[in-house]
Amino acid sequence: MLAAYDLGMATSGEYVFINIDVSTGSHAERPWLRSNDTTSLENEKAKKAYQALKTISLRRSDLDEYKNFESRVKERAEKKYNYSAKTGKEYEMNNFISAFYDALLLYAIALNETLTEGLDPRNGQNITSKMWSRTFVGITGNVSIDENGDRYSDYSLLDLDPQQDKFVEVAYYSGASNELKQVAEFHWVGGSPPKDSPICGWDHSKCPEGYPFYVYLLSGSTIFILILMSGFIYFWRRYRLEAELAAMSWKIRWEDLDGDEMKKDKKKSRRMRRLHGFSFESEALLRSCSRTSNGSENVRILFFFFYFFYFL
C-alpha cells in the first residue's frame, strides 16, 4: 500500500485495493500501525494509503461469549507460553482458533449421539453422519454444516472509518442463507466508487474503431451552432452599440477637444479677419476716391455750361 501511495494510486480515487485475509485477528482494526516506525509520519502515510483498501475476512462474532473466550485465550497465552516476552508483541487471536474450538465441539456432539444410539464410535462413518446437514450453537454463534460436511462460512467486508479511525464491518456474507447484507456506509477516497473499467476497456478493445459516427456528427453540429450563435450575438451587440452612439446628440468630435487644433484654428481665424479687414478698407478707399473723381468731373461740366451761356 505504501508503494501504491507513492504512485498516487491510493489517493486518486480511481483505484480500490482488495485484501483477503482469512486469519485476521483483532489487529485488523488498525493494520497500518507499526510500533517500530521511527516517526509517526510513516504511520500517517500508511493510514492514508489504507483508505483505499477493502479487506475480506472471516466474520468475527460479536457475542459476549466469544469475547470472553478470546480474553481467556490471550490470558492463557501469556501465563503458560509467555507470548509477549518471547515475540515482543501482544498476542492476537485469529479466527482459526475459534473455528478449531467449534470443530471439537461438533465432534463431541456427534460422539455423544453415536454412543447414545449404541453405535461403534470407532466407525468414522457413524461419527461423520452425525455431523452433516446440521446446525448447532458454537462459540462464534450458529454453525451450519451442509450435506457434504462443509461448513457454511460467514465473511466480513472491512472498511476504514475516518471518524472511528479504524477498520469496521460495512457488509457481511451469510453462508447459511446465501445473502449479502450491508450494515454501514462505505467510505471512498474520491467520494464515490470508481468505475469497474475504462470506457474502452483496459486494452482499448471495447471501442477499437472509436466512437460511433453519430457522436462525431452531433458534436460537430453542436460546435458549429455555437460558433454561429456567438458570431450573431457579437455582431448584433456591435450594431446596437453603434446605433446608440450615433443617436447621441451631445457627441462632439475629438479634434474639438484637442488644444493644439484649437490654437491653430484661432490663429487661422485671426489671419482671415486681418485679410478681410484690409480688403474692406481698400474697397472703402476706392469708393471714396471714385466719389471724389465723379464730383470734380461734374463741377467741370457745370463750369463749362456756365461759361458758354455767359458769353453768348
Side-chain angles (χ1 to χ4, degrees):
M1 292 305 299
L2 292 177
Y5 180 86
D6 294 335
L7 294 174
M9 300 173 65
T11 56
S12 64
E14 298 179 359
Y15 299 90
V16 172
F17 298 87
I18 306 298
N19 174 41
I20 300 177
D21 188 1
V22 294
S23 62
T24 299
S26 57
H27 67 280
E29 293 183 351
R30 293 181 175 87
W32 66 85
L33 290 178
R34 295 292 184 272
S35 58
N36 57 352
D37 283 339
T38 56
T39 62
S40 60
L41 295 178
E42 290 296 325
N43 286 328
E44 289 297 325
K45 178 180 177 180
K47 177 183 175 181
K48 292 181 180 179
Y50 271 73
Q51 291 179 356
L53 179 69
K54 312 296 180 188
T55 299
I56 299 176
S57 66
L58 289 172
R59 193 182 187 197
R60 294 171 58 85
S61 176
D62 55 355
L63 299 176
D64 293 336
E65 186 178 359
Y66 177 81
K67 294 179 181 179
N68 294 332
F69 173 77
E70 184 178 16
S71 299
R72 293 198 305 269
V73 171
K74 289 183 179 181
E75 183 180 358
R76 187 177 183 86
E78 294 295 336
K79 289 183 178 180
K80 188 173 182 178
Y81 302 102
N82 199 14
Y83 183 86
S84 299
K86 292 181 179 180
T87 61
K89 59 182 180 180
E90 184 182 359
Y91 178 79
E92 298 286 348
M93 192 188 81
N94 56 47
N95 292 322
F96 289 116
I97 296 177
S98 58
F100 183 72
Y101 181 90
D102 288 337
L104 288 178
L105 182 60
L106 176 60
Y107 175 76
I109 294 173
L111 180 60
N112 287 335
E113 292 180 355
T114 301
L115 293 175
T116 301
E117 295 178 4
L119 300 176
D120 185 6
R122 292 172 294 183
N123 187 343
Q125 187 174 1
N126 293 334
I127 300 296
T128 56
S129 62
K130 304 296 182 183
M131 296 180 179
W132 297 348
S133 301
R134 69 176 304 161
T135 299
F136 67 98
V137 179
I139 194 65
T140 57
N142 292 330
V143 179
S144 299
I145 308 297
D146 63 9
E147 62 276 5
N148 297 320
D150 297 325
R151 177 178 177 174
Y152 290 107
S153 299
D154 297 338
Y155 296 93
S156 294
L157 180 59
L158 307 179
D159 187 19
L160 178 58
D161 187 351
Q163 296 182 352
Q164 301 184 36
D165 198 24
K166 65 179 182 179
F167 273 82
V168 297
E169 183 184 55
V170 293
Y172 71 91
Y173 169 76
S174 176
S177 60
N178 194 24
E179 293 179 348
L180 179 64
K181 299 180 181 180
Q182 183 176 348
V183 296
E185 294 294 331
F186 286 86
H187 301 89
W188 306 100
V189 175
S192 61
K195 296 181 179 180
D196 294 336
S197 63
I199 298 176
C200 294
W202 300 106
D203 56 354
H204 208 74
S205 60
K206 294 183 179 180
C207 47
E209 298 179 357
Y211 293 100
F213 176 74
Y214 68 88
V215 175
Y216 296 102
L217 181 61
L218 182 61
S219 301
S221 302
T222 304
I223 295 174
F224 180 72
I225 293 174
L226 290 176
I227 293 175
L228 288 180
M229 291 180 63
S230 301
F232 175 77
I233 293 173
Y234 172 76
F235 287 107
W236 172 253
R237 293 185 63 182
R238 184 174 180 180
Y239 170 77
R240 291 289 302 274
L241 180 60
E242 292 179 353
E244 291 177 359
L245 292 176
M248 293 180 180
S249 59
W250 51 268
K251 185 176 66 173
I252 59 177
R253 296 179 301 173
W254 171 255
E255 52 268 19
D256 295 339
L257 300 177
D258 194 348
D260 295 336
E261 293 294 333
M262 294 178 66
K263 292 178 181 179
K264 293 179 181 179
D265 292 341
K266 289 181 179 180
K267 292 181 180 180
K268 185 176 180 180
S269 61
R270 291 196 194 101
R271 289 196 297 268
M272 294 300 294
R273 284 198 298 271
R274 290 175 183 174
L275 292 175
H276 287 300
F278 178 76
S279 62
F280 292 155
E281 292 176 358
S282 300
E283 290 178 0
L285 181 60
L286 290 174
R287 291 194 187 99
S288 62
C289 292
S290 62
R291 285 196 297 270
T292 304
S293 59
N294 292 333
S296 58
E297 186 68 24
N298 293 331
V299 170
R300 290 191 188 97
I301 295 172
L302 290 175
F303 181 76
F304 175 76
F305 280 104
F306 177 77
Y307 180 77
F308 179 76
F309 286 106
Y310 179 77
F311 286 101
L312 289 177

